Amino acid sequence: ILSQTYRLLDCISKGEAFSNISIKILDYIKYSSVFFSLLYAVHIPSFYLWSEMEDAPGVLALGLIFTFAPLFIAIFVSLLQKIVLLKK
C-alpha cells in the first residue's frame, strides 16, 4: 500500500492527479485496505482469547483498531476516487 501511495503522490506532483493511472492506484489501495481489514477481522477471536488470558481488555480494543483503521482508509479512498472521477 505504501508503494502505491508513493506512486499516487508522484502522479500528483507531475500534474496527473485526475488521470486513469491515479484511478487505478486508488482502486488498488481501496481493495488492499478492505483485504487487510477482513484479515484482521478474522483474527478478532484470537485477540479476544489473548485478552481473556492476560486479563487485559486493551488487547481487544487494539484488535478492533487494527480491524477498523484499514476500513476507514478504504472508505476515504473510495470517496477520493469518486471525486477524481467527477473532476475527470
Side-chain angles (χ1 to χ4, degrees):
I1 293 178
L2 290 176
S3 64
Q4 296 298 321
T5 306
Y6 180 75
R7 283 185 57 204
L8 181 64
L9 290 174
D10 193 38
C11 286
I12 291 171
S13 69
K14 290 179 184 176
E16 301 172 349
F18 303 110
S19 66
N20 288 334
I21 296 169
S22 64
I23 293 172
K24 288 179 184 178
I25 292 171
L26 287 171
D27 206 34
Y28 180 82
I29 293 171
K30 178 176 64 174
Y31 288 126
S32 297
S33 297
V34 169
F35 172 74
F36 281 119
S37 180
L38 290 174
L39 187 68
Y40 287 129
V42 168
H43 289 289
I44 286 290
S46 65
F47 279 106
Y48 177 75
L49 292 175
W50 187 23
S51 69
E52 286 293 320
M53 287 187 332
E54 297 293 325
D55 196 29
V59 175
L60 186 60
L62 185 66
L64 291 174
I65 290 171
F66 282 147
T67 301
F68 288 115
L71 193 61
F72 291 140
I73 292 171
I75 291 169
F76 175 73
V77 168
S78 178
L79 291 173
L80 190 61
Q81 191 176 22
K82 287 181 183 183
I83 291 171
V84 168
L85 286 173
L86 287 176
K87 294 284 183 175
K88 193 175 170 189

